[in-house]
Amino acid sequence: ILNVEQSPQSLHVQEGDSTNFTCSFPSSNFYALHWYRWETAKSPEALFVMTLNGDEKKKGRISATLNTKEGYSYLYIKGSQPEDSATYLCALKAAGNKLTFGGGTRVLVKP
Amino acid sequence: EPEVTQTPSHQVTQMGQEVILRCVPISNHLYFYWYRQILGQKVEFLVSFYNNEISEKSEIFDDQFSVERPDGSNFTLKIRSTKLEDSAMYFCASSDRASGVGEQYFGPGTRLTVT
């Protein structure tokens, strides 16, 4: 059974501050890591699909890095805005097509 | 922008009843999935479907569950005899290629409450 963990479970950020949080996963059988942004009552929105060790991807003020050798990925939010408030999910693809999800990091940006 | 849709958004049913959750995947996608999230737990994989057959399923997906693509646009999840522990948010997803490189696009979910 694959175990994907995210930390912290939740965090409060002051508007304008930058923040980051972690997804850790078993490095064996790695194929890809997906990041999603999920607001309540909406569809989880795909942010990144990362496959190569050392990958860095960016979408606006959000970026992510990947270390497959040690089994972790960081998601960064630069200059947090209230609209960044959401739960951020990472999901590992190992064998097969299924995604194995972490528990999510709930981010609340305070004005 | 194309999106995955799911109906209903919320379903309440009594224990032992059958429910059918409906999804309309993105039209040119070939791979379809169901996931669920029990309150307070992680999102967990149920089943994947490709070329009109199940390609992978989890241990959760027992004989009480079935999936179907009845008409080339809808993708359904049926639970034959619901249990209290089936209460969860059920997500449908689709992708245009095998996941890994391809993103899985998720619907907004159906919240199933079994009483």
Side-chain angles (χ1 to χ4, degrees), chain A residues 1 3-5 31-32 34 36 38 41-44 46-49 51 89 93 95-103, chain B residues 4 31 33 35 37 41-45 48 55-56 59 89 91 98-109:
Chain A
I1 296 178
N3 197 24
V4 179
E5 298 294 338
Y31 195 93
H34 296 237
Y36 288 88
W38 183 25
K42 295 187 179 178
S43 304
L47 289 174
F48 307 114
V49 180
T51 56
L89 296 167
K93 183 203 177 303
N97 271 337
K98 70 179 184 185
L99 295 179
T100 301
F101 281 83
Chain B
V4 177
Y31 298 82
Y33 312 85
Y35 293 82
Q37 185 185 35
Q41 298 185 22
K42 295 177 181 179
V43 175
E44 52 190 356
F45 168 80
S48 61
S55 50
E56 190 174 356
E59 58 275 7
M89 180 75 90
F91 292 100
S99 66
V101 176
E103 294 171 350
Q104 290 186 21
Y105 293 84
F106 281 75

Side-chain angles (χ1 to χ4, degrees), chain A residues 5-8 20-24 35 71-75 90 104-105:
Chain A
E5 298 294 338
Q6 291 186 247
S7 64
N20 65 84
F21 38 92
T22 311
C23 172
S24 60
W35 279 101
Y72 65 84
S73 175
Y74 288 125
L75 194 88
C90 69
T105 294

